[in-house]
């Protein structure tokens, strides 16, 4: 082992071994290695970048790659701005000891915010290195050029110095917030389909997920949680567990309960053998009336989210009024891999290898749980299974931390399927009411909407009040939800003269609630776009043309027209007159949203087949027009657009957490099914590139247009409005029955 | 506990394990073969898929004692980053990964399919993979990768 590598592996607590041996050639930074702590002060340039004498660049990113390809895209941005070859750059992500806190990875901000911060750091670094080269080479900065990390004097190739020659002890300066950035017309890496650096390792088993990380003498734990919702521990009898070969100990602190064993299987068996008497739980509301319950809950505050003109007055004068209510069920992240974390507590220092999207804020959350100072806690990010928001990663991280602190030995906590599906946080329920008014010519003159959204409990813009399971079990009550900015996209995106949109923030949810991909926007856009379609129908207009007529934004029009063109959109008023075949009728629907009403534009056309007898809906094709500004890596964008679309077909048609008043009964893939290969459509995409425009996020926007497009396509096929996600066969049959008299009339 | 002899990826290993231990845990924890993944432990998702005598099986639901004397192949046994199997190369070429946690199952199941049907249609690929779940929505790229591998063979 080389000396620098050995130094790299030395840590306060653990000597790290057990990393994968066949890491891809680029990956010099060993996965999970605990490097010496360094500055993470966001103002300091050394917080962001280090350059080796061998000219290798190490980038320290507080944003992490959640399996979306940002490890590659962010490296492209840095390599571009620094003028180095792409494969010179290595990313360290989400290690609280070496990376600056760039806020959680989410909210569609990794490229827009995270990438901009890294870009400024890289540009500052390049400028500083040019200054140094100018001094060293005795030339004016203007006479210097950079080529693949080598600074040369123009016209004199012999006078040159590489970044590695110039770096000395580091930068020791601040990031220049006003640094000149490279002109987009000079880009040679940004905008290119550079293959993702993680994929070769992921298709060969050489990649190290957090699940794959091992420490010497590591023990295995399983946590034991009540199947009865909210029940506390009355008594524990672990005699049977103790008889299991390889059993090490039970860990109990308050209501937190876990078993530790030498092997995973022994831990599983012990978790099944331990006898726990649970107390009474907290009763959950009846599931079949959940939306009534939700509307009746105390509201913490009501915000005016959008206001123009006088919507009530305009409604009173409308020639035609339309009213409808929409709902979106409780869903869950349902990650393919149950959450996992590895922790070690030694000499007062806690190190946790975690897949959390919020390692920096977890430092504070873990300090509260363990009683340790945040400075004694280090989180090292390793990828987990895709999380799409706050799934079980943070809870498992806390579980591992707590167990490690109790036993003083390295420990790996692997959640079981039921932990992830039933116990991880859920998206909150959602109800929305609309009334719209049209004038005699079919113009929308009034839009009146009320959204019942969950209150977001935020402290300093972080989820510090989130009730981690371990915190609750330790008797540390936390106020509530970290659900994201659910008001976003409640405001409608069309040019209507009189608008009143209010968001009513429901004070408490009944499940622990967290953000799930495109939080708030997906529910809001579903309802807004469904209702927009209802108005189009009332106005006897083609739904696509109706939208275009109410927009004054060329980029919005471009994505709509792109989706229409891909789909071969046939303009028509009223539902599809084609008779279909047998019980199967077909339709197409459109939906458009500008994410947050401020960034990425996306439109989708869905094509569906509806079985009028069974109520089964099949989405056969999705056509998507997408404009996220400057694309960093178009194929990476396409991957996210496809993924967002297909995942949301599943959410729209199938997904709904099931429960009884006593317990969550969605515990596995049969009780929380998701769409399979045989259920899914093909996705056709037109990506509109806007070189030189700001680069906006792509992980979340596509999801928001899918439910509306599908609902509107079902209407086109059948004349039935689906206003409650998911569109299960039962709900479709009910909607068909409700629509039948109207359609015949 | 018992001493159990296994043949995995062409090598014979001897491990101490309870005979009822799921093969998945032995592969991962005793042999450090990280390709197969724990997804459900219930035979529902396919993340743990390996080949047993060339057939795709769910290693979370096979006790290690049941594979004694049989040939086990994991993702690592197909190829490596240095020398990828044609299917692994096709997944790289199609960039058919998001988080990648399901991909072991997708590749192992497809590899078994391609042995039986060298030129499967899109429908046949979808049907063969219907028992493998992907939460990221990578399905379209996965079927494209399998088609690509079939055409390249
Ligand atoms: S982990 Fe074996 S099928 Fe899910
Ligand atoms: S790529 Fe993430 S689950 Fe399939």
């Amino acid at each position: 082992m080389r000396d620098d590598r050995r130094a790299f592996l030395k840590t306060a607590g653990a000597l790290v071994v057990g990393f994968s041996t066949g890491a891809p050639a680029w990956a010099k930074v060993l996965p999970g290695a605990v490097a010496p702590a360094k500055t993470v002060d966001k103002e300091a340039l050394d917080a962001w970048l280090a350059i080796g004498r061998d000219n290798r660049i190490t980038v320290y990113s507080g944003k992490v790659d959640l399996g979306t390809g940002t490890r590659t895209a962010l490296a492209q941005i840095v390599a571009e701005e620094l003028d180095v070859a792409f494969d010179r750059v290595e990313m360290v992500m989400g290690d609280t000891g070496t990376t600056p806190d760039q806020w959680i990875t989410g909210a569609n901000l990794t490229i827009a915010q995270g990438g901009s911060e890294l870009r400024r750091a890289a540009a500052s670094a390049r400028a500083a290195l040019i200054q140094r080269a100018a001094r060293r080479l005795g030339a004016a900065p203007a006479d210097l050029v950079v080529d693949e990390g080598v600074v040369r004097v123009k016209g004199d190739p012999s006078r040159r110095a590489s970044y590695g020659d110039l770096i000395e002890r580091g930068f020791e300066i601040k990031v220049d917030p006003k640094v000149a950035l490279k002109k987009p017309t000079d880009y040679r890496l940004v905008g290119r389909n550079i293959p993702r650096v993680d994929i070769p390792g992921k298709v060969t088993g050489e990649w190290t997920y957090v699940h794959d990380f091992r420490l010497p003498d590591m023990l295995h734990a399983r946590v034991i949680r009540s199947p009865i919702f909210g029940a506390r521990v009355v008594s524990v009898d672990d005699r049977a567990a103790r008889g299991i070969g390889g059993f090490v100990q039970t860990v109990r602190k308050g209501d937190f309960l876990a078993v530790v064993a030498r092997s995973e299987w022994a831990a599983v068996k012990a978790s099944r053998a331990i006898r726990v008497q649970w107390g009474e739980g907290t009763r959950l509301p009846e599931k079949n009336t959940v939306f009534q319950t939700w509307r009746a809950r105390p509201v913490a505050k009501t915000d005016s989210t959008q206001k123009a003109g006088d919507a009530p007055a305009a409604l009173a004068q409308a020639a035609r009024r339309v009213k409808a209510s929409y709902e979106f069920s409780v869903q869950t992240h349902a990650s393919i891999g149950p959450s996992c974390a590895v922790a070690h507590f030694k000499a007062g220092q806690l190190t946790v290898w975690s897949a959390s999207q919020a390692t920096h804020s977890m430092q504070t959350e873990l300090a509260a749980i363990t009683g340790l100072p945040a400075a004694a806690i280090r989180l090292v990010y390793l990828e987990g299974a895709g999380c799409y928001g706050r799934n079980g990663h943070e809870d498992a991280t806390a579980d591992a931390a707590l167990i490690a602190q109790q036993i003083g030995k390295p420990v790996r906590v692997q959640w079981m399927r039921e932990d992830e599906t039933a116990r991880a946080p859920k998206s909150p329920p959602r109800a929305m009411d609309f009334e719209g008014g049209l004038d005699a010519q079919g113009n929308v003159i009034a839009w009146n909407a009320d959204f019942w959204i969950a209150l977001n409990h935020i402290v300093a813009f972080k989820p510090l009040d989130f009730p981690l399971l371990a915190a609750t079990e330790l008797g540390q009550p936390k106020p509530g939800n970290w659900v994201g900015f659910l008001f976003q996209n409640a405001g409608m995106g069309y040019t209507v003269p009189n608008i009143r949109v209010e968001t009513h923030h429901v004070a408490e949810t009944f499940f622990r609630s967290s953000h799930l991909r495109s939080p708030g926007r997906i529910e809001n856009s579903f309802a807004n776009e469904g209702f927009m379609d209802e108005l189009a129908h009332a106005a006897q207009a083609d739904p696509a043309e109706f939208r275009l007529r109410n927009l004054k934004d060329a980029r919005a029009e471009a994505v709509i027209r792109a989706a229409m063109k891909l789909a071969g959109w046939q303009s028509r008023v009223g539902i599809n007159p084609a008779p279909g075949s047998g019980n199967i009728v077909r339709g197409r629907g459109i939906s458009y949203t500008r994410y947050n009403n401020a960034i990425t534009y996306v439109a989708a056309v869905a094509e569906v087949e509806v079985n009028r007898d069974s109520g089964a809906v099949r989405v056969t094709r999705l056509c998507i027009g997408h404009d996220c500004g400057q694309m960093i890596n178009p194929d990476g964008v396409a991957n996210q657009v496809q993924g967002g679309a297909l995942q949301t077909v599943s959410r729209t048609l199938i997904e709904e957490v099931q429960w009884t008043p006593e317990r969550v009964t969605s515990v596995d893939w049969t009780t929380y099914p998701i769409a399979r290969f045989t259920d899914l459509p093909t996705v056709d995409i037109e990506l509109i590139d806007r070189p030189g425009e700001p680069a906006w996020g792509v992980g979340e926007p596509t999801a928001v247009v899918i439910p509306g497009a599908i609902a509107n396509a079902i209407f086109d096929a059948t004349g039935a409005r689906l206003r409650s996600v998911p569109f299960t066969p039962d709900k479709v049959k009910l909607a068909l029955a409700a629509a039948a008299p109207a359609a015949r009339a | 506990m018992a001493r159990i002899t296994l043949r995995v990826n062409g090598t014979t290993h001897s491990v101490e394990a309870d005979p009822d231990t799921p093969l998945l845990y032995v592969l991962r924890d005793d042999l450090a073969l990280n390709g197969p993944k724990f997804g459900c432990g219930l035979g529902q998702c396919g993340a743990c898929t390996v080949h047993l005598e060339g057939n795709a099986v769910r290693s979370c639901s096979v006790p290690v004692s049941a594979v004694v004397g049989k040939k086990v192949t994991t993702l690592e046994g197909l190829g490596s980053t240095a020398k990828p199997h044609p299917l692994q190369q096709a997944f790289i070429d199609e960039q058919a990964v998001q988080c990648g946690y399901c991909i072991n199952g997708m590749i192992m199941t497809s590899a078994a399919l391609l042995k039986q049907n060298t030129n499967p249609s899109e429908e046949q690929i979808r049907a063969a993979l219907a028992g493998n779940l992907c939460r990221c929505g990578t399905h379209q790229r996965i079927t494209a990768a399998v088609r690509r591998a079939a055409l390249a063979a």
Side-chain angles (χ1 to χ4, degrees):
Chain A
M1 195 185 283
R2 289 207 331 260
D3 276 355
D4 57 342
R5 186 171 282 203
R6 190 168 296 137
F8 198 70
L9 293 177
K10 237 185 252 150
T11 103
L15 181 70
V16 176
V17 295
F19 40 80
S20 100
T21 46
W26 59 270
K28 285 267 188 68
V29 180
L30 299 166
V34 181
K38 52 173 266 298
T39 178
V40 294
D41 172 5
K42 285 179 85 169
E43 291 195 356
L45 185 48
D46 293 304
W48 301 93
L49 288 170
I51 298 180
R53 288 183 195 285
D54 61 356
N55 292 306
R56 296 197 71 86
I57 319 286
T58 308
V59 177
Y60 298 98
S61 168
K63 296 283 189 195
V64 297
D65 189 336
L66 300 171
T68 61
T70 57
R71 179 181 290 273
T72 304
L74 293 173
Q76 274 178 267
I77 291 173
V78 171
E80 180 71 75
E81 209 62 45
L82 264 178
D83 278 323
V84 298
F86 174 77
D87 62 9
R88 291 270 112 189
V89 174
E90 301 167 41
M91 302 292 292
V92 174
M93 307 185 100
D95 175 349
T96 59
T98 57
T99 70
D101 182 357
Q102 289 184 278
W103 198 62
I104 70 165
T105 302
N108 212 38
L109 285 169
T110 303
I111 295 299
Q113 172 231 328
S116 301
E117 288 170 344
L118 285 171
R119 189 176 174 207
R120 271 195 300 278
S124 300
R126 183 182 185 278
L129 291 163
I130 288 200
Q131 288 296 337
R132 286 185 193 181
R135 281 198 298 278
R136 165 117 35 129
L137 303 174
D143 293 333
L144 297 176
V145 286
V146 185
D147 186 17
E148 305 288 28
V150 177
V151 189
R152 289 189 281 107
V153 178
K154 270 185 228 163
D156 185 355
S158 67
R159 290 160 72 200
R160 54 195 286 159
S162 74
Y163 284 173
D165 300 333
L166 296 164
I167 191 65
E168 295 166 6
R169 282 173 309 156
F171 290 105
E172 299 179 317
I173 56 168
K174 287 187 173 179
V175 176
D176 175 1
K178 298 213 182 72
V179 67
L181 300 168
K182 195 184 225 181
K183 287 203 296 289
T185 43
D186 293 337
Y187 283 168
R188 67 213 153 88
L189 292 171
V190 163
R192 271 184 42 202
N193 288 332
I194 292 185
R196 269 172 55 173
V197 295
D198 53 331
I199 289 182
K202 285 178 172 177
V203 300
T204 52
E206 294 170 16
W207 186 256
T208 303
Y209 292 88
V210 70
H211 305 72
D212 307 324
F213 182 73
R214 297 182 188 93
L215 292 169
D217 301 320
M218 183 178 81
L219 297 172
H220 293 271
R222 292 293 185 277
V223 269
I224 294 145
R225 296 198 151 108
S226 170
I228 304 159
F229 189 78
R232 302 195 53 185
V233 177
V234 175
S235 66
V236 178
D237 174 357
D238 68 355
R239 274 172 298 182
R242 278 190 254 155
I244 287 165
F247 174 83
V248 175
Q249 69 177 99
T250 301
V251 171
R252 180 171 175 195
K253 200 166 184 237
D255 287 342
F256 179 84
L257 189 60
V259 286
V260 181
R262 260 180 261 292
S263 74
E264 280 201 81
W265 185 233
V268 171
K269 283 200 202 173
S271 72
R272 291 174 183 164
I274 199 165
R275 291 280 153 258
V276 185
Q277 199 195 329
W278 302 102
E280 290 232 351
T282 327
R283 279 187 81 78
L284 290 163
E286 288 294 335
K287 179 166 176 296
N288 53 11
T289 50
V290 63
F291 297 108
Q292 286 101 298
T293 310
W294 183 244
R295 285 164 198 276
R297 291 211 145 202
V299 166
K301 63 168 179 172
T302 289
D303 286 343
S304 169
T305 303
Q306 191 180 29
K307 192 161 167 33
D310 185 343
L315 267 178
Q317 288 161 17
R320 174 103 201 256
R321 289 165 79 148
V322 181
K323 232 175 142 159
S325 292
Y326 284 77
E327 301 161 348
F328 208 106
S329 285
V330 175
Q331 299 183 331
T332 197
H333 308 74
S335 294
I336 276 293
S339 294
C340 178
V342 176
H344 191 23
F345 181 66
K346 195 177 171 192
Q349 296 285 320
L350 176 65
T351 310
V352 192
W353 289 264
S354 164
S356 170
Q357 57 171 203
T359 49
H360 285 91
S361 82
M362 280 305 289
Q363 246 182 326
T364 318
E365 291 185 71
L366 292 186
I369 287 172
T370 58
L372 297 168
I377 300 171
R378 170 101 172 243
L379 286 104
V380 180
Y381 178 75
L382 284 171
E383 270 185 53
C387 59
Y388 331 105
R390 179 171 271 231
N391 67 343
H393 288 334
E394 286 72 21
D395 289 302
T397 299
D399 294 345
L402 201 52
I403 298 168
Q405 188 188 22
Q406 300 301 306
I407 68 174
K409 298 193 187 81
V411 66
R412 174 181 182 273
V413 176
Q414 168 71 66
W415 273 22
M416 301 302 278
R417 180 78 254 152
E418 179 168 354
D419 295 315
E420 192 65 42
T421 304
R423 316 275 177 259
K426 307 277 163 276
S427 69
R430 174 58 83 76
M432 297 155 282
D433 297 333
F434 292 84
E435 187 163 15
L438 301 168
D439 67 13
Q441 290 73 47
N443 299 308
V444 189
I445 55 164
W447 179 278
N448 192 28
D450 290 275
F451 293 73
W452 273 264
I453 71 178
L455 181 68
N456 198 24
H457 291 267
I458 53 172
V459 181
F461 274 82
K462 288 189 173 176
L464 301 182
D465 274 342
F466 186 81
L468 288 168
L469 289 171
T472 308
E473 288 153 355
L474 291 178
Q476 299 175 359
K478 298 272 177 181
N481 306 313
W482 169 248
V483 286
F485 305 101
L486 301 187
F487 66 90
Q488 290 281 20
N489 284 117
M492 61 108 67
Y494 298 94
T495 55
V496 171
N498 301 291
I499 305 173
R500 174 197 156 279
V501 175
E502 291 194 349
T503 45
H504 310 283
H505 301 242
V506 177
E508 279 177 42
T509 56
F510 27 88
F511 296 115
R512 293 189 308 146
S513 297
S514 75
H515 47 98
L516 172 59
R517 198 174 196 167
S518 322
R521 296 80 165 177
I522 192 169
E523 295 92 343
N524 300 336
S525 299
F526 158 58
N528 279 339
E529 284 299 298
F531 192 64
M532 192 66 184
D533 223 68
E534 299 200 39
L535 292 180
H537 187 68
Q540 298 195 303
D542 173 79
E545 282 159 15
F546 187 70
R547 283 170 172 79
L548 290 168
R549 203 200 292 165
N550 285 288
L551 281 165
K552 282 206 192 70
D553 181 335
R555 289 174 74 173
E557 288 174 30
V559 294
I560 292 175
R561 291 198 195 281
M564 289 168 71
K565 182 153 179 243
L566 282 173
W569 182 269
Q570 306 276 330
S571 180
R572 66 168 166 260
V573 173
I575 67 171
N576 187 2
S581 35
N583 306 324
I584 305 291
V585 283
R586 297 183 178 80
R588 49 75 170 137
I590 192 163
S591 168
Y592 152 79
T593 299
R594 184 172 187 196
Y595 203 74
N596 292 353
N597 293 336
I599 52 172
T600 304
Y601 298 85
V602 58
V605 173
E607 296 174 1
V608 303
E609 293 177 357
V610 183
N611 182 318
R612 296 192 64 99
D613 285 345
S614 69
V617 176
R618 214 185 124 68
V619 181
T620 51
R621 189 173 177 218
L622 290 169
C623 298
I624 294 165
H626 188 275
D627 169 2
C628 60
Q630 165 92 56
M631 287 192 280
I632 308 301
N633 184 321
D635 188 62
V637 173
N639 203 353
Q640 284 305 294
V641 170
Q642 289 164 352
L646 293 177
Q647 184 184 68
T648 311
V649 171
S650 178
R651 289 178 69 182
T652 305
L653 295 184
I654 303 176
E655 293 183 32
E656 176 174 29
V657 172
Q658 303 291 341
W659 71 86
T660 65
E662 290 78 34
R663 61 182 71 202
V664 176
T665 51
S666 287
V667 294
D668 62 9
W669 295 116
T670 59
T671 48
Y672 191 85
I674 60 172
R676 297 174 180 273
F677 274 88
T678 38
D679 303 324
L680 290 167
T682 49
V683 186
D684 294 318
I685 301 172
E686 164 106 23
L687 300 175
I688 301 174
D689 196 11
R690 304 278 185 192
E693 292 290 337
W696 292 318
V698 301
E700 299 184 356
T702 301
V704 310
V705 290
I706 303 301
I710 295 174
N712 299 338
I714 295 172
F715 177 78
D716 186 54
T718 65
R721 285 283 173 202
L722 271 295
R723 302 191 183 95
S724 179
V725 168
F727 308 153
T728 56
D730 282 349
K731 285 196 212 161
V732 173
K733 279 195 277 187
L734 278 176
L736 286 169
R744 306 262 143 77
Chain B
M1 291 289 243
R3 184 137 286 277
I4 291 172
T5 304
L6 296 176
R7 247 172 81 70
V8 184
N9 299 336
T11 309
T12 304
H13 300 270
S14 171
V15 299
E16 268 309 314
D18 276 342
D20 63 347
T21 308
L23 173 62
L24 174 66
Y25 289 140
V26 173
L27 294 173
R28 292 181 50 81
D29 298 337
D30 296 290
L31 306 184
L33 292 167
N34 293 332
K37 294 279 184 273
F38 176 75
C40 65
L42 304 165
Q44 296 174 344
C45 75
C48 63
T49 304
V50 301
H51 291 177
L52 189 58
E53 297 291 334
N55 298 315
V57 299
R58 307 212 152 175
S59 67
C60 71
S61 306
V62 177
V64 65
S65 56
V67 308
V68 173
K70 300 198 176 130
K71 252 176 62 189
V72 177
T73 307
T74 71
L75 187 63
E76 291 88 341
L78 291 194
S80 61
T81 48
K83 206 166 173 296
H85 179 275
L87 255 173
Q88 292 168 322
Q89 187 59 50
F91 272 68
I92 296 169
D93 293 341
E94 291 289 336
Q95 295 282 288
V97 171
Q98 287 183 59
C99 79
Y101 201 88
C102 69
I103 292 298
N104 167 71
M106 301 300 173
I107 293 178
M108 296 309 286
T109 307
S110 311
L113 167 71
L114 291 182
K115 271 194 252 169
Q116 272 152 27
N117 179 352
T118 52
N119 188 23
S121 66
E122 165 91 21
E123 270 63 51
Q124 288 169 323
I125 296 168
R126 285 181 183 235
L129 291 175
N132 288 73
L133 300 177
C134 172
R135 183 53 164 160
C136 293
T138 315
H139 306 75
Q140 185 159 324
R141 287 175 178 237
I142 292 169
T143 48
V146 179
R147 282 292 300 152
R148 177 191 278 260
L151 292 174

